[in-house]
Amino acid sequence: MSQLNSQQQRIVSHLEGAALVIAGAGSGKTRVITHRAANLIKQGVPPGAILMVTFTNKAAEEMKRRIQDMAGGEANTRGLMAGTFHSMANRFLRRYGNLIGYDNNFTILDDTDSRDLFKAVIADMVPERQQSNGRKFPTAAVVQGVVSMGFNRGLELGELLERDYPWLIEWMPELEAVAAAYRARKKTSNSMDFDDLLDNWCHLLATCKNLEMAEKLRFVMVDEYQDTNLIQAEILALLAAKHGNIMAVGDDAQSIYGWRGANFRNILDFPERFGGQVFRLEQNYRSSPEILNLANHSINHNTEQFEKRLEAIRPAAGLPGMACLRDEYEEADYVLEKIMEFRDRDIPLSQMGVLYRNHAQSAVLQMRLSERGIPFQVRSGIKFFEQAHIKDVVSFLKVLFNPLDEIAWLRILKMLPGVGNVTARKIYGIFSRQRGVRLAPDNDELNKAVPAKAREQWKEFSLTMKALLADGVGPAEMISMVARGFYHTHLYSAFDNAPERANELEYLSEFASRYGSVERFLSQLALVGAAVIREYEEEQEDDPEFLILTSIHQAKGLEWDAVFLIGLADGRLPHARNLEPLPRLEEERRLFYVAVTRCKRFLELTVPLVSYTQGRAEICRPSRFVEELPTGALEVRQGSREAESLTPLLGQGPGLSVEW
DNA sequence: GAGAACCAGCTTTTT
DNA sequence: GCTGGTTCTC
């Protein structure tokens, strides 16, 4: 690990007061704040007095790992408050939720849960919703998106609709009603969605002063500040109000979460809001001058950005390359060939990364890699925890932990024969009216509600629940008890690939055995999702040599010697939906910027000219982000002959479609 | 009112 | 190919 330069040194030894660090890609920004945290600890600041937050799980993991390394092991950092905004919110609310009207055993609704709840709300509230002059009420997913966007941008529904969803204005009153009902249902079922975690954390800090956990914190640090939204900035302000020791690190050029309400203007507003010093890190320690040159040229096309000039420190490494290939299959073969080449030049697989705009783009490559026996890991949304059977079984633990969890109850109840939406609601209604769940046989009201068809299974269900409640049963045992007991029948009648799913449930149980308490297990599941299981898999991995495939969004903060940026066709990156308005296009360009600046030495861009979607073939042109680069910024590699035969067609613009 | 069977639309990125 | 929604039948 190299020495710190003088500017980095100044930041590391900055002790008191506010500070903003505007830092370019590869300038060591995460390194600087983790260094500072380790430094504070070495100087005797208790780890529990330091809060370090960031937005993504990936970045949070990296941050924690580095601090541990620098501070000399886990023991020295015990008590450190480090993680994502959402997980820190969870810690506060598990302890103090009761102060703002929640039970501390609240459930966290993940994306799917929240959508399910919207679905239920909509079904009840707008039965005659089918049409207003022939138009349909928006789906649960759309409503969920709108409501969440309003929250994250701090906008009233009306204003938001006018600005971004004019076609939904006609539904305004219904949407208001649905949003209000959704809020109420979350409250009665003692659950919080992701937005609530932030909202309630903020609310808690604003209304309850002198919380022990907050009082203890004397140093607040945020990484990737450009990814925060208004409420996150507000939370930070509340946390730092007393001591004023807040350090934010960010790079406006890497702001790629605008679509979910992040606002890189938070960086601009920082000096006004917090005062203090402003540092700049403009030396890039990661990439070759050629790569940096390409990145700088690209980002300069953006009109909305702060002046910043990144200076390369590393030696020259040759021009980045670009190749046009016929389609994804040829592209995959090309990438494979290059991987072999790099390997021959002694670059280990672990020093190569393949990046793409969206997950689907990696499918063909994954297939080829498996065929050739090249080990790889996909760093992206494995939807493991969002599959039906996983959610089904986890629901049992959820209702044990939070008996008012409506979503979990509805899932479970609907597994009973003869019970559908209506009956399930009725039964849940009984639980919530009785302010608790009594499955005892003398609960007459309940017995009446359970249909005759379901009697047998209901009995079995009650027995299973009783068994789960026995002392000393941890999450792992609970899962296998449910999977082998009550759920078994349902699994085999509902899914054609039941044995496979049964295996996955065993796996889930094995995985859960790392967690001693149901609370820890459920929180981790909801907050960290796929990332946590990936970590677990990595631990199991004997061979650490594998290639990484990842979306650009999840690649932030990472770096490799060789980077492949695949699927670089106009309409993919930039994504067709974001060609306008300008701010959206510019965010796409920042995405391109983030992708290329992950690379230290060998950057390879590939363009599949033909893509097959829904049985049609479409001819694309290379991304405009490539075409707008000056000649000499990259070297065009020899693509395939077939691809070349397509080039004359390219002038005709994107989206030229051909029936195959 | 439940549940099977059929049909359409779709695939951006994360907590 | 998969999900979510709708329709049809019992």
Side-chain angles (χ1 to χ4, degrees), chain A residues 413-434:
Chain A
L413 294 169
K414 281 195 267 187
M415 291 174 205
L416 298 165
V419 178
N421 267 321
V422 176
T423 314
R425 284 292 318 273
K426 206 192 312 174
I427 296 177
Y428 177 78
I430 295 172
F431 294 155
S432 71
R433 224 171 317 118
Q434 300 184 345

Side-chain angles (χ1 to χ4, degrees), chain A residues 39 67 83 115 123 225 228 288 321 339 437 508-509:
Chain A
N39 231 16
I67 298 182
R115 194 163 54 246
Y225 195 56
T228 56
S288 73
I339 288 174
V437 179
L508 181 72
S509 161

Side-chain angles (χ1 to χ4, degrees), chain A residues 37 41 47-48 50-52 64 67 77-82 91:
Chain A
I41 292 171
I50 303 172
L51 174 78
M52 299 192 73
K64 282 189 261 188
I67 298 182
T77 61
R78 192 151 302 141
L80 179 76
M81 296 281 286
R91 280 215 218 168

Side-chain angles (χ1 to χ4, degrees), chain A residues 87 446 477 649:
Chain A
S87 66
L446 188 55
E477 295 82 58
L649 291 171

Side-chain angles (χ1 to χ4, degrees), chain A residues 19-275:
Chain A
L20 172 66
V21 182
I22 298 178
S27 62
K29 56 179 148 66
T30 303
R31 208 176 136 217
V32 167
I33 51 164
T34 51
H35 217 108
R36 176 175 180 242
N39 231 16
L40 290 169
I41 292 171
K42 278 185 199 147
Q43 291 179 21
V45 174
I50 303 172
L51 174 78
M52 299 192 73
V53 278
T54 185
F55 173 62
T56 62
N57 279 306
K58 191 84 243 152
E61 262 169 53
E62 181 71 8
M63 205 167 67
K64 282 189 261 188
R65 195 185 56 76
R66 289 203 202 195
I67 298 182
Q68 280 183 14
D69 284 354
M70 287 179 192
E74 208 205 321
N76 295 332
T77 61
R78 192 151 302 141
L80 179 76
M81 296 281 286
T84 61
F85 277 95
H86 291 85
S87 66
M88 292 300 106
N90 180 51
R91 280 215 218 168
F92 270 82
L93 294 166
R94 287 284 171 215
R95 173 122 166 233
Y96 300 116
N98 55 341
L99 298 180
I100 54 167
Y102 284 86
D103 286 334
N104 291 2
N105 61 346
F106 61 86
T107 300
I108 299 172
L109 302 177
D110 69 19
D111 223 37
T112 323
D113 298 328
S114 141
R115 194 163 54 246
D116 286 349
L117 188 54
F118 268 111
K119 216 180 287 172
V121 169
I122 292 170
D124 292 357
M125 291 204 46
V126 229
E128 69 291 356
R129 75 201 151 90
Q130 306 312 354
Q131 60 249 328
S132 106
N133 49 32
R135 304 214 31 187
K136 278 188 175 170
F137 192 75
T139 61
V142 173
V143 180
Q144 177 191 33
V146 170
V147 170
S148 177
M149 184 56 91
F151 168 77
N152 282 292
R153 300 237 310 256
L155 293 176
E156 292 296 329
L157 189 61
E159 205 181 335
L160 179 71
L161 293 186
E162 241 157 70
R163 276 202 216 175
D164 289 336
Y165 304 88
W167 61 93
L168 293 180
I169 289 178
E170 60 173 311
W171 294 106
M172 174 88 162
E174 288 86 350
L175 285 170
E176 294 269 21
V178 167
Y182 172 74
R183 242 176 284 129
R185 296 265 285 262
K186 277 187 298 189
K187 200 71 210 301
T188 46
S189 58
N190 191 31
S191 27
M192 300 188 196
D193 61 20
F194 286 135
D195 292 340
D196 290 330
L197 285 171
L198 297 182
D199 198 19
N200 289 327
W201 189 17
C202 189
H203 178 61
L204 173 75
L205 293 171
T207 51
C208 309
K209 305 291 174 184
N210 311 324
L211 300 174
E212 191 205 342
M213 240 167 131
E215 291 277 292
K216 273 202 315 207
L217 293 175
R218 282 172 30 225
F219 296 92
V220 174
M221 284 184 256
V222 214
D223 197 4
E224 311 283 9
Y225 195 56
Q226 74 283 351
D227 291 335
T228 56
N229 59 29
L230 292 171
I231 196 143
Q232 288 162 332
E234 181 62 29
I235 289 168
L236 294 170
L238 287 164
L239 285 169
K242 220 169 233 175
H243 47 71
N245 299 324
I246 176 167
M247 180 179 276
V249 185
D251 177 8
D252 57 285
Q254 293 186 66
S255 163
I256 53 177
Y257 288 98
W259 52 272
R260 56 159 295 288
N263 190 345
F264 66 79
R265 266 161 227 290
N266 273 347
I267 295 185
L268 246 196
D269 297 341
F270 186 97
E272 205 179 310
R273 184 162 202 173
F274 299 102

Side-chain angles (χ1 to χ4, degrees), chain A residues 38 42 71 82 145 157 268 304 309 327 344 391 405 441 480 493 495 500 569 572 645 659:
Chain A
K42 278 185 199 147
L157 189 61
L268 246 196
E304 287 216 62
R309 191 72 229 165
D327 54 21
D344 290 343
K391 295 217 124 203
D405 189 327
S480 37
S493 66
F495 302 104
E500 249 168 76
R572 310 272 232 151
S645 70
E659 292 299 331

Side-chain angles (χ1 to χ4, degrees), chain A residues 96 223 286 301 352 434 541 551 654:
Chain A
Y96 300 116
D223 197 4
R286 181 185 294 144
H301 282 93
M352 300 183 214
Q434 300 184 345
E541 194 80 48
S551 73

